Amino acid sequence: MHPTGETEAVLVQILFYLFATLLVAGALGVITARNPVYSVLFLVFSFINSAAIWLLVEAEFLAIVLVLVYVGAVMVLFLFVVMMLDINLAEIRQGFTRFAWLGWITAAAVIVEIVGVIWGHGLGGVDVGRGFVSEPANYSNTLELGRVLYTRYAYPFELAGVLLVVAIVAAIALTLRHRPGMKAQDVSRQVAVRAKDRLRVVKVSAEKRS
Amino acid sequence: MHTTIHHLLALWATIPEIVRTLVWILIITIGVILCVAFLTLWERKVIGWMQLRRGPNRVRIFGLLPGLGQPFADVFKLLTKEVVVPSGSSKFLFRIAPALALVPALAAWAVIPLSPELVVSKANAGLLYLLALSSMGVYGIILAGWSANSKYAMLGAMRSAAQMLAYEIAMGFALVGVLMAAGSMNLGQIVQHQQGGFLAWNWFWLFPMFVVYFIAGVAETNRAPFDVAEGESEIVAGFHVEYSGIAFALFFLAEYANMILISALTAVFFFGGWLSPVAGYPLIGHTFLADPSFFWLGLKVFCALFLFLWFRATFPRYRYDQIMRLGWKALIPVTLVWIGVEMVMAAIHIGPWARPWFH
């Protein structure tokens, strides 16, 4: 979207406040919902709203990847796990007040960090209240990101990839157990089977021998 | 006559862009829903013929073709039935799940180029947008299964969630192959890069990708032979076992809309979208047959849809562990190998990488 006229700028503002409100409401829903499944769904809702906000600042690649990776894959797995678990809510709520001080301290630390970053570095070229500088219509976010990622930041990018592979291998190695006496099909043996191993054609005479 | 059309076109251009876009969205949505209606009829007819039956032949419209009114009869029947909400279910999620299944299937049409001029959004990241939307379709199924408070529905939802996640990866990798061949994520540009007749289309150079994409597409839409999410011999009707009336019809609508979508995407990614198969060939290559148009896209979508129906009529259902095995251990390695082959082809400039526009 390119805010050329006044009306479009106003429209963008209205959309921003709409999505921002929904995002905050969704985030509140995550921590207040009684059912963990609803918490996960509120989180999905928040992700979609933050993707919409990214779209408003023309970061379409990040917006779509957020939906693709988090909404489409990670949260589905979350939902998968949460639905399978038989969570006893009363047990989780135990000690809520006992550990509340820890939560408050963490929240305060995060807020201090955010404020510190904004104060220390400024908003990095962002003209507050006017939005980002809009790019020409044929500007491709994806192309630019790819260009930077595979040239300037090639090594950190590859490193992150290797890290993810190691994490996958570790996760599989930790959870892969061979229980003795488990019954499972051996697929390669099933595939390799031939008709003559299983089937014997017998000639039976049509009439009863008298 | 001609001047009237010009007047209408001039009038159309005066309407604000946002209204025009909304009108297009409405036209495409209604078009897709009508296609779904007649696809259900076509499916029952085709499967009937394959099994030496007649298929639906009772309801006529205006005395035309026996069976033509069947989709409308079905819709009115389902509309007038009660939507039963099971006790102990999550009422809100139970009601919203069918819509969540349908919306991504319709929203994806925003970036699909129907003809050289006709597309709602020429988004640069169109391919990513499609992947993101198709990955959201799984929510309707999971939530339907969970909210119904039924073991069968839950089992169906679990199966389909695992299946769709697995096949999305294969599908994504197949599309990486398309992306490498076209050098763009804009669907219109992907079509334009395939210019030059039947053999210049992507299916030729990306044949393994095409096969993987189509198989993954069948699995994504939960169609036979991968329809274990509603395997009636094991779990009654799977995730939508508790749904009735129009809520059930919405799931059906979503499934068929997804089928049409996957067929359209196969046509766009691998069969040159709106391009004519005879373009550039001697004799017929310079007649009206070589013009790109919506007709060609429609024909390709129709052929792909016929494959879906053919599969359903002829293949037995896969066993669940074999589905997972096929997705993870067969399709994904095939795409990975072919991405490597494409890299080599790109390096030595053969295939689509030898064409002049690619440098």
Side-chain angles (χ1 to χ4, degrees), chain A residues 35 37-38 41 44 48 61 64 67-68 71-73 75-77 79-80 83-84 139-140 142 185 187 190, chain B residues 90 93 124-125 128-129 131-132 135-136 138-139 142-143 146 154 158 161-162 165 168 185 319 321-322 325:
Chain A
N35 192 326
V37 172
Y38 277 90
L41 291 175
V44 170
I48 292 173
F61 181 79
I64 294 175
V67 173
L68 178 63
V71 177
M75 295 320 286
V76 175
L77 290 178
L79 212 54
F80 207 73
M83 283 176 181
M84 295 281 276
Y139 175 81
S140 173
T142 321
Q185 287 101 351
V187 182
Q190 286 183 325
Chain B
S90 303
L93 290 182
N124 270 329
L128 268 181
Y129 169 82
L131 276 176
S135 68
M136 281 176 71
V138 69
Y139 278 99
I142 294 193
L143 291 181
W146 182 77
M154 188 66 199
M158 295 306 229
L165 279 180
E168 240 157 50
M185 293 210 287
R319 206 173 65 202
D321 62 315
Q322 288 173 335
R325 184 183 150 84

Side-chain angles (χ1 to χ4, degrees), chain B residues 141-349:
Chain B
I141 291 176
I142 294 193
L143 291 181
W146 182 77
S147 66
N149 191 27
S150 153
K151 287 200 172 61
Y152 289 126
M154 188 66 199
L155 281 172
M158 295 306 229
R159 283 180 172 198
S160 79
Q163 177 185 331
M164 285 170 91
L165 279 180
Y167 280 83
E168 240 157 50
I169 297 168
M171 199 178 222
F173 273 127
L175 293 186
V176 168
V178 175
L179 204 134
M180 284 172 75
S184 168
M185 293 210 287
N186 180 313
L187 266 68
Q189 281 175 23
I190 288 176
V191 172
Q192 254 146 26
H193 278 287
Q194 302 179 50
Q195 242 156 23
F198 188 60
L199 287 177
W201 296 344
N202 274 340
W203 72 270
F204 186 71
W205 291 101
L206 309 179
F207 190 72
M209 295 300 198
F210 157 61
V211 173
V212 168
Y213 181 81
F214 201 67
I215 294 175
V218 176
E220 276 279 294
T221 47
N222 282 320
R223 292 280 302 178
F226 304 111
D227 57 344
V228 288
E230 42 181 301
E232 63 267 24
S233 54
E234 301 145 18
I235 49 173
V236 198
F239 64 91
H240 58 51
V241 66
E242 302 289 349
Y243 280 89
S244 60
I246 200 67
F248 169 76
L250 280 183
F251 278 116
F252 245 76
L253 197 62
E255 180 180 327
Y256 283 81
N258 267 320
M259 272 166 72
I260 300 177
L261 179 69
I262 293 289
S263 304
L265 291 180
T266 310
V268 167
F269 290 141
F270 296 99
F271 288 88
W274 65 72
L275 295 172
S276 158
V278 295
Y281 285 101
L283 290 176
I284 40 173
H286 299 287
T287 60
F288 70 97
L289 280 174
D291 292 339
S293 73
F294 173 69
F295 166 75
W296 291 115
L297 181 69
L299 191 70
K300 289 163 189 171
V301 171
F302 183 79
C303 294
L305 279 174
F306 182 75
L307 283 179
F308 271 93
L309 310 184
W310 196 0
F311 291 160
R312 176 156 178 210
T314 47
F315 284 142
R317 185 176 289 137
Y318 259 72
R319 206 173 65 202
Y320 186 67
D321 62 315
Q322 288 173 335
I323 292 184
M324 297 314 270
R325 184 183 150 84
L326 179 73
W328 289 104
K329 294 189 180 172
L331 299 186
I332 294 175
V334 165
T335 52
L336 287 177
V337 166
W338 205 255
I339 286 176
V341 173
E342 276 188 47
M343 280 173 4
V344 174
M345 285 200 285
I348 56 177
H349 301 300

